[in-house]
Each structure stands twice: as structure tokens, then as C-alpha cells.
Amino acid sequence: MKPEEFTGNTQSMRYEYHRVREGPNYFVSYYKHSSRLHYDPKDTWRTLGVAKFTDTGKALKEWCLLMDESYGQPQREKWLIHAAEGASEASGRKDTSFASEAMEEENPCSNTKMVT
């Protein structure tokens, strides 16, 4: 998908919000010749340092929170609902791992005797 760009982008400062189908949505920041990937809107805003108290910094904070509320929170809620249902149960597959077999068996130590 096409990234959502911050309206106050300049040549030396650039912020984008990327929406993806798989995985979490993320912010990409370019500031002071450094490019970073952020998942948290507050971390994105904090890249400005002391400049976060300027008008552009305040606008960036509002934009980051708006993008996260619009696209990030619904995505996280969908994941929580899917996790609550149980991924293995939702797909209809039986767990055949060694750990599941060991949990089904009785305690192997309950039927032992000590030899002296």
C-alpha cells in the first residue's frame, strides 16, 4: 500500500506511516541524516528531541496519534480477538507435537518403586 505522508515533510525531515496486510503497521522517520523504523507513535515523535515542542513537532505528534488511532488500534484489536480464539483451534488442526503427547500421559513417576 502507498504510505501515508506527514504534511509538514521537508527535505531534511520526513515521516511516513506504512499500512501492511501482514505484520504490524509502522512509521518510518528520516531526521538528521538517520532513517529509523518505529512501531510506537510516541517513539516516532521523540526522534525530534527538543524540537518536539515546536509547532511542527506538535503537529507531528497529533498526526502520529491520529494514524495510530485510525489504523493501528483496529489492527491490534483484530489480532487480540484472533489470539483469544486460539490459532490452532481456528485452523482445525490437531496439535501433534511431543509436548502435547507428554501432557496427555499420566505422571510416569506415580507408578514406580524404589529398589534398595
Side-chain angles (χ1 to χ4, degrees):
M1 297 183 112
K2 185 176 179 181
E4 303 278 338
E5 296 185 2
F6 175 57
T7 55
N9 284 341
T10 63
Q11 187 175 0
S12 60
M13 177 192 82
R14 183 174 189 81
Y15 291 89
E16 298 175 347
Y17 184 71
H18 293 260
R19 295 172 51 199
V20 293
R21 291 185 183 179
E22 295 179 6
N25 297 335
Y26 58 91
F27 293 92
V28 174
S29 66
Y30 173 75
Y31 185 66
K32 291 186 177 179
H33 305 290
S34 174
S35 181
R36 298 181 189 150
L37 182 117
H38 307 277
Y39 294 107
D40 186 24
K42 290 183 181 179
D43 287 339
T44 307
W45 175 61
R46 290 178 186 141
T47 59
L48 292 176
V50 249
K52 64 185 173 187
F53 299 111
T54 62
D55 294 335
T56 306
K58 292 175 185 176
L60 176 65
K61 180 181 180 181
E62 291 175 13
W63 178 79
C64 288
L65 294 174
L66 176 69
M67 290 291 116
D68 188 55
E69 288 173 5
S70 301
Y71 305 114
Q73 288 180 355
Q75 185 185 39
R76 286 190 293 270
E77 289 172 3
K78 183 175 70 172
W79 288 347
L80 291 175
I81 291 170
H82 181 69
E85 291 174 356
S88 63
E89 296 174 9
S91 64
R93 295 177 56 197
K94 184 181 175 190
D95 186 14
T96 57
S97 65
F98 175 76
S100 64
E101 294 173 3
M103 295 300 288
E104 292 174 359
E105 294 179 2
E106 294 180 19
N107 186 359
C109 298
S110 63
N111 193 15
T112 60
K113 297 181 181 177
M114 187 171 122
V115 178
T116 54

